[in-house]
């Protein structure tokens, strides 16, 4: 059959050998075999060229029609057109099939398993000290205090003299200091200088009601003392402030920190800038007051220092000690963390070991 068409070249007498139906079927069969054998787009394109290209078999055959007598030309033309349609259909179908196979393979290759657990991004969190500081700022602002800040490089006057600790006064030995190259300045040893700064900032107005959180520095370094640590100062000055007001605020403070059942005890003590001065104890956070190893069987744990603002300090702040009075307290935040979490070593809080710090993820303070 193929031979029959092959003979249909230039100048041959097609009419004699042309069996349209048989030859057409043969061509279609042959083309389809080639088409099925093509397993990729390039091979398929080659088949298309071989049959339908400018020099393709069908193209040549169609071109040869012009040499035929009109009747034969019409008959053969119709057959060749049917062949071309069949070949084109077969090519298109194969093309679609190859494409579908390729797509299926790509899907399998690029498969994305949406059920795999995701990679949890490392979300940072605030340091437990920062969180404690903010917690206390929240508490005291609710009580009507505002937050006052002072410099960490402080003058000796604010840090000592104004607080009733004149030069060479033995009380200065209570706070081993870091001095800086500028004469008359040091790294502040406590947040109490902010008492004076806050009174100055109020310019004699009443009340003065501030807390002053921040870093302080002392030449101290052991398991429970760091050369840099964090204090929170409290100061309230107004007409008629008494020790009872101090006790009320402190009770609110320790109950917020250690739970509503916490009791406090004020013990007489000494600070140059308060008179009278007290050491404040809380009922033991471990045994609740019945006595245990943590509280050395006393039932009490020391938590902070406080007192009524010394008249000299009030005067240095620009207030008349005869008409106003005030209380002040100073709380060490590291100490609060140790008591809350039951640690006896504060150094890990400064060592940036995430395995340690991550234990204090948000929400864990309620379990303390
Ligand atoms: N400034 C004192 C200290 O650092 C603490 C304190 C503050 C005591 C306010 C009494 C009143 O030791």
């Amino acid at each position: 059959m193929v031979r029959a068409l092959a003979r249909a070249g230039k100048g041959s007498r097609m009419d004699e050998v042309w069996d349209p139906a048989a030859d057409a079927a043969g061509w279609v069969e042959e083309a389809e075999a080639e088409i099925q054998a093509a397993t990729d787009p390039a091979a398929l394109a080659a088949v298309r060229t071989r049959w339908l290209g400018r020099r393709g078999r069908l193209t040549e055959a169609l071109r040869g029609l012009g040499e035929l007598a009109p009747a034969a030309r019409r008959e053969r033309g119709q057959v060749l057109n049917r062949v071309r349609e069949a070949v084109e259909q077969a090519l298109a179908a194969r093309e679609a099939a190859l494409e579908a196979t390729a797509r299926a393979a790509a899907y399998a290759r690029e498969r994305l398993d949406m059920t795999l657990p995701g990679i949890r991004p490392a979300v940072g969190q605030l340091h437990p000290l920062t969180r404690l500081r903010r917690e206390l700022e929240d508490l005291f602002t609710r009580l009507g205090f505002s937050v006052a800040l002072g410099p960490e490089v402080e003058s000796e006057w604010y840090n000592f003299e104004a607080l009733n600790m004149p030069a060479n006064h033995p009380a200065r030995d209570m706070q081993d200091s870091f001095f800086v190259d500028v004469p008359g300045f040091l790294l502040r040893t406590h947040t109490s200088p902010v008492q004076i700064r806050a009174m100055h900032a109020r310019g004699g107005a009443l009340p003065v009601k501030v807390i002053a959180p921040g870093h302080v520095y002392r030449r101290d370094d052991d398991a429970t003392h760091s050369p840099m640590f964090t204090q929170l100062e409290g100061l309230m000055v107004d007409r008629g402030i008494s020790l009872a007001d101090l006790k009320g605020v402190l009770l609110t403070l320790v109950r917020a920190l250690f739970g509503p059942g916490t009791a406090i005890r004020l013990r007489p003590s000494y600070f140059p800038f308060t008179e009278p001065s007290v050491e404040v104890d809380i009922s033991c956070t471990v045994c609740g007051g019945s006595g245990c190893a943590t509280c050395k069987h006393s039932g009490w744990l020391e938590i902070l220092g406080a007192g009524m603002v010394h008249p000299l300090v009030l005067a240095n702040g620009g207030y008349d000690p005869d008409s106003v009075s005030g209380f002040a307290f100073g709380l060490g935040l590291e100490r609060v963390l140790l008591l809350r979490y039951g640690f006896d070593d504060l150094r890990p809080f400064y060592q940036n070991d995430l395995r340690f710090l991550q234990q204090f993820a948000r929400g864990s303070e309620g379990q303390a």
Side-chain angles (χ1 to χ4, degrees), residues 5 16-17 30 35 55 89 98 116 120 133 168 174 212 221 223 229 232 238 242 259 266 311 360:
L5 272 158
E16 293 159 23
V17 291
E30 201 182 334
I35 287 167
R55 299 208 166 288
Q89 264 177 27
L98 285 179
L116 278 175
R120 189 184 291 272
R133 172 177 163 169
N168 305 317
M174 290 163 67
D221 199 3
F229 60 109
L232 186 134
D238 205 347
S242 75
L266 306 189
F360 308 96

Side-chain angles (χ1 to χ4, degrees), residues 175 190 192 195 218 231 233 271 273-274 305-306 328-330:
Q175 303 182 353
H190 53 175
S192 297
Q195 289 186 29
R218 286 185 206 178
Q231 281 190 338
E233 193 86 6
F271 297 102
F273 32 89
T274 46
F329 62 88

Side-chain angles (χ1 to χ4, degrees), residues 83 124-125 129 150 244 314 331 361:
V83 171
Q125 64 190 33
L129 265 176
L314 285 172
L331 175 69

Side-chain angles (χ1 to χ4, degrees), residues 106-181:
Y107 283 160
R109 194 170 54 243
E110 296 163 20
R111 183 178 147 82
L112 184 63
D113 186 348
M114 304 294 267
T115 68
L116 278 175
I119 300 167
R120 189 184 291 272
V123 179
Q125 64 190 33
L126 295 173
H127 191 278
L129 265 176
T130 307
R131 291 226 316 280
L132 174 60
R133 172 177 163 169
R134 291 192 181 181
E135 185 187 334
L136 290 171
E137 288 174 356
D138 283 351
L139 171 72
F140 279 102
T141 49
R142 284 198 303 276
L143 293 175
F145 287 74
S146 50
V147 178
L149 300 176
E152 291 176 22
V153 178
E154 185 57 283
S155 76
E156 289 186 61
W157 188 80
Y158 277 109
N159 194 82
F160 292 127
E161 270 96 327
L163 295 169
N164 196 27
M165 281 188 272
N168 305 317
H169 190 287
R172 288 204 187 189
D173 293 347
M174 290 163 67
Q175 303 182 353
D176 250 346
S177 314
F178 289 113
F179 287 90
V180 296
D181 282 345

Side-chain angles (χ1 to χ4, degrees), residues 333-344:
L333 298 197
E334 285 80 358
R335 176 150 182 77
V336 172
L337 285 189
L338 295 188
L339 290 177
R340 257 193 171 180
Y341 298 114
F343 293 147
D344 53 8

